[in-house]
Amino acid sequence: MEWKTLINDKRFGLEDYHDSKPGLRSDFQRDYDRLIFSSPFRRLQNKTQVFPLPGSIFVHNRLTHSLEVSSCGRSIANEVAEVLWHKYEDADVRQKLSHLGEIVAAACLAHDLGNPPFGHSGEKAISTFFSEGEGKCLESLLDSHQWQDLIKFEGNANAFRLLTHQFNGRRRGGFAMTYSMLASIVKYPFDSTLATKNKFGFFTTEIDDYKRIADELKIKRIDTESGIKYARHPLVYIVEAADDICYEVMDIEDAHKLKILSTAEVIDLFLGFFEGDRLASMKRNMERVTDPNEKIAYLRSCVIGALVINTAEAFVKNEEAILDGSFTGSLIDNIPELEHGGYRRCAELSYRRLYNSSEVVDIEIAGNRIITFLLEKLIHAVIFPELNYSRLLLSRVPEQYEVHSENLFHRIQAVVDHVSAMTDVYALDLYRKLNGLKLPAV
């Protein structure tokens, strides 16, 4: 693969209108701005990241997480672009490399758009509704590819659909984002029949869309006995690294604010990323403040700064393997052992103490019940639309969702589109109303 073709500002769905617009903003910057002002992006503020949405203590939600990932990803990409600029003498390549930070910043904003309410447990609730719940009876009515899409529901694939699908009343091409930005969010560039651990990049309905983008960018196609598979667009590795860095480090800081982890534990954990003079300097700097949260914030910034530099260096070091599609693993896997050991300790502690904490498990239990109930009612309604209750319920579904399609799979997918787009607050409110626990008020 080559940077000349990998960086392309053609807009999906607006190919016939492709032109270079005047002004200071590039089309990649327009991608970023378009996302910032969009309703799906704003809704992320009411979607759980890990810990329940804030009461008196503010912790991360999907929106604040996405903004931080975007900041981190732009920094990594700019570091990479600076080094690669000196490697390539071709003026056209250099000009394209100057846009890496813009593309990655936009892709990072969009990377979680397809995630349903209630954190990653929301994905599990949707997939298990079909694989082991009331939705299992639908298997015989769908083809094998459609069924795999449902029982392996994936937020990443859903993000690609949200950005590219022409929903009712909307323009062709969905958000009409640039080809390079769209390719940069597809972490798993293969369909659900090739999914590993329920991870894949696009639903059956978007296979042709991804193929069009990948073929235009000349992304390497990988032959398989069944299913569609490509190598990753190189910038996917940077988006993934920024996400890994932010959620792992920021989850630790959130746990400290919630007093799940002590100040001493977190200080020891974050100092483990450093040694020598750098470690001694950081300890001296910490002595200048007494506020525990300020100490942790300072250390967190140091850790993120170190990981940004390390992952950028890992990308440059492995650029040839990344471009020929032979690179395996993640950038985090290829950073020096000191920093990688620190990251690994954070991940192990998070698994033991954070992701299995009562606060997190409680929101997963509640979210599972809410999502399962909503899917039951809405899917029953699209299968039996002639019933009075179905008619009433479907009248409340936004017109953009194809709940009246003649195609059964499209109707089911429309329900999943609707439920996955909900915020935690909206899903809970609708659950209460449908159960008669809350009456509407004017």
Side-chain angles (χ1 to χ4, degrees):
M1 297 182 283
E2 297 182 350
W3 291 114
K4 273 189 177 182
T5 55
L6 288 167
I7 307 304
N8 187 327
D9 63 2
K10 184 179 290 188
R11 291 200 172 279
F12 185 78
L14 298 180
E15 292 85 356
D16 295 340
Y17 304 98
H18 181 62
D19 61 353
S20 296
K21 296 180 179 64
L24 295 176
R25 287 192 306 154
S26 70
D27 276 301
F28 304 121
Q29 289 174 310
R30 288 183 169 90
D31 282 346
Y32 184 95
D33 297 343
R34 190 171 293 184
L35 286 164
I36 282 284
F37 285 95
S38 70
S39 294
F41 184 73
R42 287 196 300 274
R43 285 199 295 270
L44 294 179
Q45 69 181 311
N46 268 329
K47 286 193 176 187
T48 298
Q49 174 65 15
V50 173
F51 299 105
L53 294 177
S56 59
I57 299 176
F58 192 89
V59 293
H60 286 80
N61 53 45
R62 287 282 177 191
L63 185 140
T64 51
H65 167 71
S66 297
L67 289 169
E68 289 170 350
V69 173
S70 182
S71 175
C72 184
R74 182 176 56 243
S75 295
I76 299 171
N78 285 339
E79 292 282 345
V80 169
E82 173 69 19
V83 177
L84 295 185
W85 192 91
H86 294 283
K87 175 180 177 179
Y88 292 95
E89 296 182 356
D90 187 301
D92 186 36
V93 174
R94 284 181 166 183
Q95 191 273 333
K96 286 180 178 289
L97 288 172
S98 70
H99 294 299
L100 293 194
E102 299 167 358
I103 299 169
V104 170
C108 288
L109 279 187
H111 84 284
D112 270 352
L113 283 184
N115 283 60
F118 307 109
H120 286 294
S121 64
E123 290 176 286
K124 192 69 172 176
I126 292 174
S127 63
T128 55
F129 171 80
F130 294 102
S131 64
E132 58 189 56
E134 293 293 322
K136 198 174 189 325
C137 64
L138 299 170
E139 182 176 5
S140 62
L141 303 177
L142 305 172
D143 68 39
S144 59
H145 283 75
Q146 294 169 342
W147 186 244
Q148 290 299 308
D149 283 356
L150 295 174
I151 64 173
K152 297 176 181 176
F153 176 84
E154 223 286 322
N156 289 278
N158 202 42
F160 185 75
R161 174 176 170 79
L162 175 66
L163 290 171
T164 58
H165 181 67
Q166 184 178 6
F167 291 94
N168 282 341
R170 305 301 175 88
R171 65 180 169 188
R172 187 164 59 95
F175 274 54
M177 308 303 276
T178 60
Y179 275 37
S180 292
M181 178 271 167
L182 289 171
S184 297
I185 70 165
V186 183
K187 289 174 65 176
Y188 314 101
F190 42 83
D191 63 47
S192 59
T193 63
L194 299 175
T196 56
K197 297 182 179 179
N198 281 18
K199 298 294 185 182
F200 63 99
F202 36 82
F203 297 121
T204 303
T205 43
E206 281 72 56
I207 286 178
D208 289 341
D209 294 337
Y210 184 77
K211 286 171 63 177
R212 191 199 321 173
I213 292 169
D215 292 344
E216 174 75 21
L217 302 181
K218 293 183 169 47
I219 297 176
K220 182 178 180 180
R221 183 159 178 172
I222 300 171
D223 291 330
T224 63
E225 293 183 2
S226 62
I228 303 297
K229 185 174 184 178
Y230 286 84
R232 282 179 163 186
H233 188 288
L235 298 186
V236 170
Y237 288 101
I238 297 179
V239 175
E240 178 184 52
D243 187 27
D244 289 346
I245 291 168
C246 287
Y247 81 71
E248 201 60 76
V249 176
M250 302 311 300
D251 287 354
I252 296 290
E253 185 175 20
D254 279 349
H256 173 257
K257 289 181 179 178
L258 293 169
K259 302 190 185 306
I260 296 173
L261 298 176
S262 69
T263 301
E265 282 180 295
V266 178
I267 287 177
D268 183 60
L269 195 64
F270 284 171
L271 287 178
F273 283 81
F274 307 95
E275 62 183 2
D277 292 342
R278 174 67 165 144
L279 177 61
S281 173
M282 290 172 62
K283 288 181 176 179
R284 287 194 299 271
N285 289 337
M286 274 200 304
E287 292 175 359
R288 298 174 182 173
V289 294
T290 57
D291 186 327
N293 288 330
E294 280 299 301
K295 289 179 182 286
I296 300 305
Y298 165 69
L299 292 177
R300 175 257 299 155
S301 68
C302 293
V303 170
I304 290 179
L307 291 175
V308 163
I309 297 298
N310 291 155
T311 50
E313 290 175 348
F315 185 97
V316 172
K317 180 180 178 181
N318 293 282
E319 186 211 6
E320 290 185 11
I322 290 171
L323 288 175
D324 69 25
S326 63
F327 184 74
T328 58
S330 66
L331 295 181
I332 290 287
D333 293 333
N334 287 270
I335 63 177
E337 180 52 37
L338 175 65
E339 290 84 356
H340 188 262
Y343 182 88
R344 187 173 60 248
R345 287 188 292 274
C346 286
E348 291 169 351
L349 182 66
S350 295
Y351 182 79
R352 288 198 322 270
R353 301 275 299 281
L354 277 56
Y355 305 143
N356 291 311
S357 67
S358 59
E359 294 90 345
V360 174
V361 173
D362 285 348
I363 199 72
E364 290 183 355
I365 292 172
N368 189 291
R369 176 58 187 148
I370 293 167
I371 288 175
T372 299
F373 175 83
L374 295 178
L375 288 173
E376 278 180 20
K377 296 300 182 185
L378 287 165
I379 287 179
H380 184 271
V382 298
I383 294 175
F384 304 103
E386 70 281 0
L387 300 179
N388 182 57
Y389 183 74
S390 299
R391 181 178 56 80
L392 292 171
L393 188 55
L394 294 179
S395 72
R396 302 300 299 146
V397 176
E399 291 183 4
Q400 72 189 73
Y401 301 116
E402 303 171 68
V403 291
H404 300 292
S405 170
E406 294 183 3
N407 183 296
L408 174 62
F409 179 66
H410 290 169
R411 297 201 301 272
I412 294 170
Q413 199 170 29
V415 170
V416 175
D417 287 336
H418 181 34
V419 172
S420 64
M422 294 178 182
T423 64
D424 296 20
V425 175
Y426 182 90
L428 174 60
D429 185 61
L430 183 59
Y431 172 81
R432 287 171 171 167
K433 287 177 180 176
L434 296 183
N435 274 295
L437 301 175
K438 180 180 179 180
L439 292 175
V442 177

mmCIF file of all heavy atoms in Angstrom, residues 316-354:
data_model
loop_
_atom_site.group_PDB
_atom_site.id
_atom_site.type_symbol
_atom_site.label_atom_id
_atom_site.label_comp_id
_atom_site.label_asym_id
_atom_site.label_seq_id
_atom_site.Cartn_x
_atom_site.Cartn_y
_atom_site.Cartn_z
ATOM 1 N N VAL A 316 6.529 4.232 13.140
ATOM 2 C CA VAL A 316 7.580 4.552 12.172
ATOM 3 C C VAL A 316 8.514 3.365 11.979
ATOM 4 O O VAL A 316 8.892 3.023 10.843
ATOM 5 C CB VAL A 316 8.374 5.791 12.633
ATOM 6 C CG1 VAL A 316 9.595 6.006 11.743
ATOM 7 C CG2 VAL A 316 7.479 7.026 12.622
ATOM 8 N N LYS A 317 8.852 2.713 13.064
ATOM 9 C CA LYS A 317 9.752 1.559 13.005
ATOM 10 C C LYS A 317 9.152 0.429 12.176
ATOM 11 O O LYS A 317 9.874 -0.299 11.464
ATOM 12 C CB LYS A 317 10.060 1.074 14.421
ATOM 13 C CG LYS A 317 11.000 -0.125 14.483
ATOM 14 C CD LYS A 317 11.247 -0.539 15.929
ATOM 15 C CE LYS A 317 12.147 -1.764 15.993
ATOM 16 N NZ LYS A 317 12.385 -2.190 17.408
ATOM 17 N N ASN A 318 7.846 0.264 12.254
ATOM 18 C CA ASN A 318 7.177 -0.848 11.568
ATOM 19 C C ASN A 318 6.395 -0.399 10.337
ATOM 20 O O ASN A 318 5.530 -1.136 9.850
ATOM 21 C CB ASN A 318 6.224 -1.551 12.548
ATOM 22 C CG ASN A 318 6.952 -2.255 13.674
ATOM 23 O OD1 ASN A 318 7.495 -3.332 13.493
ATOM 24 N ND2 ASN A 318 6.962 -1.616 14.839
ATOM 25 N N GLU A 319 6.702 0.793 9.823
ATOM 26 C CA GLU A 319 5.923 1.334 8.711
ATOM 27 C C GLU A 319 5.879 0.402 7.512
ATOM 28 O O GLU A 319 4.811 0.195 6.914
ATOM 29 C CB GLU A 319 6.484 2.695 8.282
ATOM 30 C CG GLU A 319 5.626 3.374 7.218
ATOM 31 C CD GLU A 319 6.432 4.257 6.273
ATOM 32 O OE1 GLU A 319 7.681 4.251 6.366
ATOM 33 O OE2 GLU A 319 5.816 4.937 5.430
ATOM 34 N N GLU A 320 7.002 -0.189 7.141
ATOM 35 C CA GLU A 320 7.019 -1.053 5.958
ATOM 36 C C GLU A 320 6.104 -2.256 6.137
ATOM 37 O O GLU A 320 5.364 -2.627 5.214
ATOM 38 C CB GLU A 320 8.457 -1.501 5.659
ATOM 39 C CG GLU A 320 9.356 -0.378 5.159
ATOM 40 C CD GLU A 320 10.733 -0.880 4.765
ATOM 41 O OE1 GLU A 320 10.918 -2.120 4.691
ATOM 42 O OE2 GLU A 320 11.623 -0.040 4.537
ATOM 43 N N ALA A 321 6.148 -2.884 7.313
ATOM 44 C CA ALA A 321 5.273 -4.033 7.572
ATOM 45 C C ALA A 321 3.806 -3.613 7.600
ATOM 46 O O ALA A 321 2.928 -4.343 7.132
ATOM 47 C CB ALA A 321 5.655 -4.704 8.893
ATOM 48 N N ILE A 322 3.543 -2.429 8.139
ATOM 49 C CA ILE A 322 2.168 -1.917 8.171
ATOM 50 C C ILE A 322 1.662 -1.681 6.758
ATOM 51 O O ILE A 322 0.528 -2.039 6.418
ATOM 52 C CB ILE A 322 2.102 -0.623 9.010
ATOM 53 C CG1 ILE A 322 2.314 -0.946 10.494
ATOM 54 C CG2 ILE A 322 0.767 0.092 8.809
ATOM 55 C CD1 ILE A 322 2.481 0.275 11.383
ATOM 56 N N LEU A 323 2.507 -1.110 5.901
ATOM 57 C CA LEU A 323 2.092 -0.816 4.533
ATOM 58 C C LEU A 323 1.938 -2.062 3.673
ATOM 59 O O LEU A 323 1.129 -2.081 2.740
ATOM 60 C CB LEU A 323 3.091 0.145 3.869
ATOM 61 C CG LEU A 323 3.068 1.594 4.369
ATOM 62 C CD1 LEU A 323 4.186 2.401 3.723
ATOM 63 C CD2 LEU A 323 1.718 2.247 4.089
ATOM 64 N N ASP A 324 2.694 -3.121 3.968
ATOM 65 C CA ASP A 324 2.512 -4.325 3.148
ATOM 66 C C ASP A 324 1.513 -5.310 3.770
ATOM 67 O O ASP A 324 1.292 -6.401 3.247
ATOM 68 C CB ASP A 324 3.848 -5.011 2.843
ATOM 69 C CG ASP A 324 4.511 -5.660 4.057
ATOM 70 O OD1 ASP A 324 3.797 -6.017 5.015
ATOM 71 O OD2 ASP A 324 5.739 -5.849 4.032
ATOM 72 N N GLY A 325 0.923 -4.901 4.902
ATOM 73 C CA GLY A 325 -0.139 -5.707 5.491
ATOM 74 C C GLY A 325 0.326 -6.883 6.315
ATOM 75 O O GLY A 325 -0.479 -7.723 6.723
ATOM 76 N N SER A 326 1.638 -6.949 6.607
ATOM 77 C CA SER A 326 2.167 -8.097 7.356
ATOM 78 C C SER A 326 2.315 -7.819 8.850
ATOM 79 O O SER A 326 2.615 -8.730 9.629
ATOM 80 C CB SER A 326 3.529 -8.519 6.783
ATOM 81 O OG SER A 326 4.488 -7.476 6.937
ATOM 82 N N PHE A 327 2.102 -6.573 9.277
ATOM 83 C CA PHE A 327 2.244 -6.223 10.693
ATOM 84 C C PHE A 327 1.132 -6.884 11.497
ATOM 85 O O PHE A 327 -0.034 -6.888 11.103
ATOM 86 C CB PHE A 327 2.171 -4.708 10.859
ATOM 87 C CG PHE A 327 2.394 -4.220 12.268
ATOM 88 C CD1 PHE A 327 3.656 -4.225 12.835
ATOM 89 C CD2 PHE A 327 1.332 -3.748 13.026
ATOM 90 C CE1 PHE A 327 3.873 -3.766 14.128
ATOM 91 C CE2 PHE A 327 1.528 -3.285 14.315
ATOM 92 C CZ PHE A 327 2.800 -3.301 14.871
ATOM 93 N N THR A 328 1.497 -7.471 12.627
ATOM 94 C CA THR A 328 0.510 -8.122 13.487
ATOM 95 C C THR A 328 0.532 -7.491 14.875
ATOM 96 O O THR A 328 1.525 -6.886 15.272
ATOM 97 C CB THR A 328 0.790 -9.631 13.616
ATOM 98 O OG1 THR A 328 2.116 -9.830 14.133
ATOM 99 C CG2 THR A 328 0.660 -10.324 12.268
ATOM 100 N N GLY A 329 -0.565 -7.645 15.595
ATOM 101 C CA GLY A 329 -0.644 -7.068 16.932
ATOM 102 C C GLY A 329 -1.004 -5.592 16.858
ATOM 103 O O GLY A 329 -1.529 -5.101 15.862
ATOM 104 N N SER A 330 -0.685 -4.874 17.933
ATOM 105 C CA SER A 330 -0.994 -3.444 18.017
ATOM 106 C C SER A 330 0.292 -2.661 18.234
ATOM 107 O O SER A 330 1.360 -3.233 18.503
ATOM 108 C CB SER A 330 -1.944 -3.187 19.191
ATOM 109 O OG SER A 330 -1.282 -3.465 20.424
ATOM 110 N N LEU A 331 0.204 -1.346 18.117
ATOM 111 C CA LEU A 331 1.380 -0.510 18.385
ATOM 112 C C LEU A 331 1.797 -0.629 19.852
ATOM 113 O O LEU A 331 2.993 -0.624 20.173
ATOM 114 C CB LEU A 331 1.085 0.949 18.030
ATOM 115 C CG LEU A 331 0.824 1.254 16.559
ATOM 116 C CD1 LEU A 331 0.573 2.751 16.372
ATOM 117 C CD2 LEU A 331 1.988 0.792 15.676
ATOM 118 N N ILE A 332 0.811 -0.725 20.745
ATOM 119 C CA ILE A 332 1.118 -0.873 22.169
ATOM 120 C C ILE A 332 1.961 -2.118 22.423
ATOM 121 O O ILE A 332 2.848 -2.120 23.289
ATOM 122 C CB ILE A 332 -0.184 -0.942 23.001
ATOM 123 C CG1 ILE A 332 -0.884 0.426 23.020
ATOM 124 C CG2 ILE A 332 0.095 -1.411 24.436
ATOM 125 C CD1 ILE A 332 -0.217 1.477 23.873
ATOM 126 N N ASP A 333 1.720 -3.163 21.655
ATOM 127 C CA ASP A 333 2.497 -4.401 21.811
ATOM 128 C C ASP A 333 3.955 -4.223 21.412
ATOM 129 O O ASP A 333 4.791 -5.070 21.727
ATOM 130 C CB ASP A 333 1.900 -5.525 20.954
ATOM 131 C CG ASP A 333 0.531 -5.958 21.420
ATOM 132 O OD1 ASP A 333 0.240 -5.807 22.623
ATOM 133 O OD2 ASP A 333 -0.261 -6.441 20.580
ATOM 134 N N ASN A 334 4.250 -3.139 20.699
ATOM 135 C CA ASN A 334 5.586 -2.956 20.149
ATOM 136 C C ASN A 334 6.339 -1.772 20.741
ATOM 137 O O ASN A 334 7.297 -1.285 20.144
ATOM 138 C CB ASN A 334 5.484 -2.793 18.627
ATOM 139 C CG ASN A 334 5.158 -4.090 17.922
ATOM 140 O OD1 ASN A 334 6.052 -4.832 17.532
ATOM 141 N ND2 ASN A 334 3.870 -4.377 17.757
ATOM 142 N N ILE A 335 5.917 -1.305 21.915
ATOM 143 C CA ILE A 335 6.647 -0.239 22.593
ATOM 144 C C ILE A 335 7.681 -0.851 23.528
ATOM 145 O O ILE A 335 7.616 -2.052 23.827
ATOM 146 C CB ILE A 335 5.690 0.701 23.360
ATOM 147 C CG1 ILE A 335 4.952 -0.055 24.483
ATOM 148 C CG2 ILE A 335 4.684 1.335 22.396
ATOM 149 C CD1 ILE A 335 4.045 0.836 25.331
ATOM 150 N N PRO A 336 8.668 -0.079 24.024
ATOM 151 C CA PRO A 336 9.704 -0.625 24.901
ATOM 152 C C PRO A 336 9.124 -1.306 26.149
ATOM 153 O O PRO A 336 8.038 -0.960 26.616
ATOM 154 C CB PRO A 336 10.531 0.605 25.282
ATOM 155 C CG PRO A 336 10.338 1.541 24.133
ATOM 156 C CD PRO A 336 8.928 1.342 23.691
ATOM 157 N N GLU A 337 9.874 -2.250 26.682
ATOM 158 C CA GLU A 337 9.374 -3.080 27.778
ATOM 159 C C GLU A 337 9.028 -2.285 29.025
ATOM 160 O O GLU A 337 8.074 -2.617 29.730
ATOM 161 C CB GLU A 337 10.422 -4.152 28.132
ATOM 162 C CG GLU A 337 10.006 -5.092 29.272
ATOM 163 C CD GLU A 337 8.640 -5.733 29.057
ATOM 164 O OE1 GLU A 337 8.312 -6.071 27.903
ATOM 165 O OE2 GLU A 337 7.889 -5.878 30.051
ATOM 166 N N LEU A 338 9.756 -1.220 29.326
ATOM 167 C CA LEU A 338 9.458 -0.426 30.517
ATOM 168 C C LEU A 338 8.023 0.116 30.444
ATOM 169 O O LEU A 338 7.231 -0.076 31.380
ATOM 170 C CB LEU A 338 10.443 0.741 30.654
ATOM 171 C CG LEU A 338 10.160 1.720 31.805
ATOM 172 C CD1 LEU A 338 10.312 1.020 33.149
ATOM 173 C CD2 LEU A 338 11.086 2.936 31.716
ATOM 174 N N GLU A 339 7.718 0.800 29.340
ATOM 175 C CA GLU A 339 6.379 1.370 29.193
ATOM 176 C C GLU A 339 5.322 0.291 28.965
ATOM 177 O O GLU A 339 4.203 0.391 29.461
ATOM 178 C CB GLU A 339 6.356 2.373 28.034
ATOM 179 C CG GLU A 339 7.133 3.652 28.306
ATOM 180 C CD GLU A 339 8.632 3.514 28.015
ATOM 181 O OE1 GLU A 339 9.082 2.388 27.673
ATOM 182 O OE2 GLU A 339 9.344 4.531 28.128
ATOM 183 N N HIS A 340 5.694 -0.753 28.238
ATOM 184 C CA HIS A 340 4.741 -1.828 27.998
ATOM 185 C C HIS A 340 4.411 -2.546 29.298
ATOM 186 O O HIS A 340 3.257 -2.938 29.544
ATOM 187 C CB HIS A 340 5.296 -2.832 26.981
ATOM 188 C CG HIS A 340 4.303 -3.863 26.549
ATOM 189 N ND1 HIS A 340 4.259 -5.130 27.103
ATOM 190 C CD2 HIS A 340 3.299 -3.809 25.647
ATOM 191 C CE1 HIS A 340 3.272 -5.813 26.544
ATOM 192 N NE2 HIS A 340 2.676 -5.046 25.661
ATOM 193 N N GLY A 341 5.407 -2.701 30.164
ATOM 194 C CA GLY A 341 5.159 -3.323 31.463
ATOM 195 C C GLY A 341 4.223 -2.480 32.311
ATOM 196 O O GLY A 341 3.332 -3.007 32.992
ATOM 197 N N GLY A 342 4.407 -1.142 32.258
ATOM 198 C CA GLY A 342 3.518 -0.252 32.995
ATOM 199 C C GLY A 342 2.095 -0.345 32.478
ATOM 200 O O GLY A 342 1.140 -0.387 33.262
ATOM 201 N N TYR A 343 1.959 -0.373 31.155
ATOM 202 C CA TYR A 343 0.624 -0.483 30.556
ATOM 203 C C TYR A 343 -0.024 -1.818 30.938
ATOM 204 O O TYR A 343 -1.213 -1.871 31.264
ATOM 205 C CB TYR A 343 0.735 -0.368 29.038
ATOM 206 C CG TYR A 343 -0.607 -0.419 28.333
ATOM 207 C CD1 TYR A 343 -1.346 0.735 28.115
ATOM 208 C CD2 TYR A 343 -1.136 -1.636 27.885
ATOM 209 C CE1 TYR A 343 -2.575 0.695 27.476
ATOM 210 C CE2 TYR A 343 -2.365 -1.690 27.250
ATOM 211 C CZ TYR A 343 -3.077 -0.523 27.049
ATOM 212 O OH TYR A 343 -4.305 -0.578 26.430
ATOM 213 N N ARG A 344 0.742 -2.878 30.894
ATOM 214 C CA ARG A 344 0.220 -4.211 31.227
ATOM 215 C C ARG A 344 -0.267 -4.265 32.673
ATOM 216 O O ARG A 344 -1.314 -4.847 32.971
ATOM 217 C CB ARG A 344 1.310 -5.257 30.986
ATOM 218 C CG ARG A 344 0.832 -6.702 31.142
ATOM 219 C CD ARG A 344 1.909 -7.688 30.737
ATOM 220 N NE ARG A 344 3.119 -7.535 31.548
ATOM 221 C CZ ARG A 344 4.272 -7.090 31.088
ATOM 222 N NH1 ARG A 344 4.382 -6.727 29.813
ATOM 223 N NH2 ARG A 344 5.324 -6.982 31.880
ATOM 224 N N ARG A 345 0.477 -3.631 33.573
ATOM 225 C CA ARG A 345 0.050 -3.616 34.983
ATOM 226 C C ARG A 345 -1.258 -2.842 35.159
ATOM 227 O O ARG A 345 -2.116 -3.222 35.958
ATOM 228 C CB ARG A 345 1.163 -3.030 35.868
ATOM 229 C CG ARG A 345 2.354 -3.973 36.055
ATOM 230 C CD ARG A 345 3.337 -3.436 37.089
ATOM 231 N NE ARG A 345 4.018 -2.235 36.619
ATOM 232 C CZ ARG A 345 5.127 -2.243 35.878
ATOM 233 N NH1 ARG A 345 5.645 -3.405 35.488
ATOM 234 N NH2 ARG A 345 5.697 -1.113 35.512
ATOM 235 N N CYS A 346 -1.402 -1.757 34.407
ATOM 236 C CA CYS A 346 -2.669 -1.010 34.443
ATOM 237 C C CYS A 346 -3.825 -1.884 33.961
ATOM 238 O O CYS A 346 -4.905 -1.894 34.563
ATOM 239 C CB CYS A 346 -2.569 0.235 33.558
ATOM 240 S SG CYS A 346 -1.580 1.582 34.247
ATOM 241 N N ALA A 347 -3.599 -2.606 32.869
ATOM 242 C CA ALA A 347 -4.646 -3.457 32.301
ATOM 243 C C ALA A 347 -5.036 -4.564 33.272
ATOM 244 O O ALA A 347 -6.224 -4.864 33.455
ATOM 245 C CB ALA A 347 -4.169 -4.050 30.978
ATOM 246 N N GLU A 348 -4.041 -5.159 33.920
ATOM 247 C CA GLU A 348 -4.329 -6.249 34.856
ATOM 248 C C GLU A 348 -5.089 -5.741 36.070
ATOM 249 O O GLU A 348 -6.037 -6.390 36.541
ATOM 250 C CB GLU A 348 -3.008 -6.911 35.293
ATOM 251 C CG GLU A 348 -2.331 -7.690 34.168
ATOM 252 C CD GLU A 348 -0.911 -8.111 34.526
ATOM 253 O OE1 GLU A 348 -0.397 -7.634 35.585
ATOM 254 O OE2 GLU A 348 -0.295 -8.876 33.752
ATOM 255 N N LEU A 349 -4.698 -4.570 36.580
ATOM 256 C CA LEU A 349 -5.399 -3.999 37.726
ATOM 257 C C LEU A 349 -6.829 -3.613 37.352
ATOM 258 O O LEU A 349 -7.761 -3.831 38.129
ATOM 259 C CB LEU A 349 -4.643 -2.772 38.240
ATOM 260 C CG LEU A 349 -5.247 -2.097 39.478
ATOM 261 C CD1 LEU A 349 -5.166 -3.031 40.684
ATOM 262 C CD2 LEU A 349 -4.552 -0.779 39.781
ATOM 263 N N SER A 350 -7.000 -3.045 36.164
ATOM 264 C CA SER A 350 -8.336 -2.653 35.713
ATOM 265 C C SER A 350 -9.261 -3.864 35.653
ATOM 266 O O SER A 350 -10.425 -3.792 36.065
ATOM 267 C CB SER A 350 -8.261 -1.987 34.339
ATOM 268 O OG SER A 350 -7.550 -0.774 34.412
ATOM 269 N N TYR A 351 -8.761 -4.954 35.130
ATOM 270 C CA TYR A 351 -9.588 -6.155 35.012
ATOM 271 C C TYR A 351 -9.984 -6.684 36.383
ATOM 272 O O TYR A 351 -11.135 -7.068 36.611
ATOM 273 C CB TYR A 351 -8.831 -7.233 34.230
ATOM 274 C CG TYR A 351 -9.639 -8.494 34.026
ATOM 275 C CD1 TYR A 351 -10.610 -8.567 33.033
ATOM 276 C CD2 TYR A 351 -9.443 -9.611 34.842
ATOM 277 C CE1 TYR A 351 -11.368 -9.709 32.849
ATOM 278 C CE2 TYR A 351 -10.194 -10.762 34.672
ATOM 279 C CZ TYR A 351 -11.154 -10.806 33.676
ATOM 280 O OH TYR A 351 -11.905 -11.941 33.502
ATOM 281 N N ARG A 352 -9.028 -6.675 37.311
ATOM 282 C CA ARG A 352 -9.291 -7.229 38.647
ATOM 283 C C ARG A 352 -10.179 -6.326 39.485
ATOM 284 O O ARG A 352 -11.096 -6.794 40.161
ATOM 285 C CB ARG A 352 -7.975 -7.441 39.412
ATOM 286 C CG ARG A 352 -7.124 -8.563 38.946
ATOM 287 C CD ARG A 352 -6.098 -8.961 40.023
ATOM 288 N NE ARG A 352 -5.557 -7.822 40.742
ATOM 289 C CZ ARG A 352 -4.478 -7.150 40.374
ATOM 290 N NH1 ARG A 352 -3.844 -7.484 39.271
ATOM 291 N NH2 ARG A 352 -4.039 -6.134 41.094
ATOM 292 N N ARG A 353 -9.922 -5.025 39.454
ATOM 293 C CA ARG A 353 -10.535 -4.124 40.431
ATOM 294 C C ARG A 353 -11.590 -3.193 39.857
ATOM 295 O O ARG A 353 -12.461 -2.737 40.594
ATOM 296 C CB ARG A 353 -9.437 -3.271 41.074
ATOM 297 C CG ARG A 353 -8.339 -4.060 41.784
ATOM 298 C CD ARG A 353 -8.740 -4.395 43.205
ATOM 299 N NE ARG A 353 -8.960 -3.195 43.971
ATOM 300 C CZ ARG A 353 -7.975 -2.438 44.502
ATOM 301 N NH1 ARG A 353 -6.709 -2.783 44.332
ATOM 302 N NH2 ARG A 353 -8.271 -1.368 45.212
ATOM 303 N N LEU A 354 -11.528 -2.889 38.555
ATOM 304 C CA LEU A 354 -12.441 -1.896 37.986
ATOM 305 C C LEU A 354 -13.598 -2.538 37.242
ATOM 306 O O LEU A 354 -14.761 -2.319 37.582
ATOM 307 C CB LEU A 354 -11.688 -0.955 37.041
ATOM 308 C CG LEU A 354 -10.935 0.232 37.661
ATOM 309 C CD1 LEU A 354 -9.920 -0.228 38.710
ATOM 310 C CD2 LEU A 354 -10.239 1.028 36.580
#
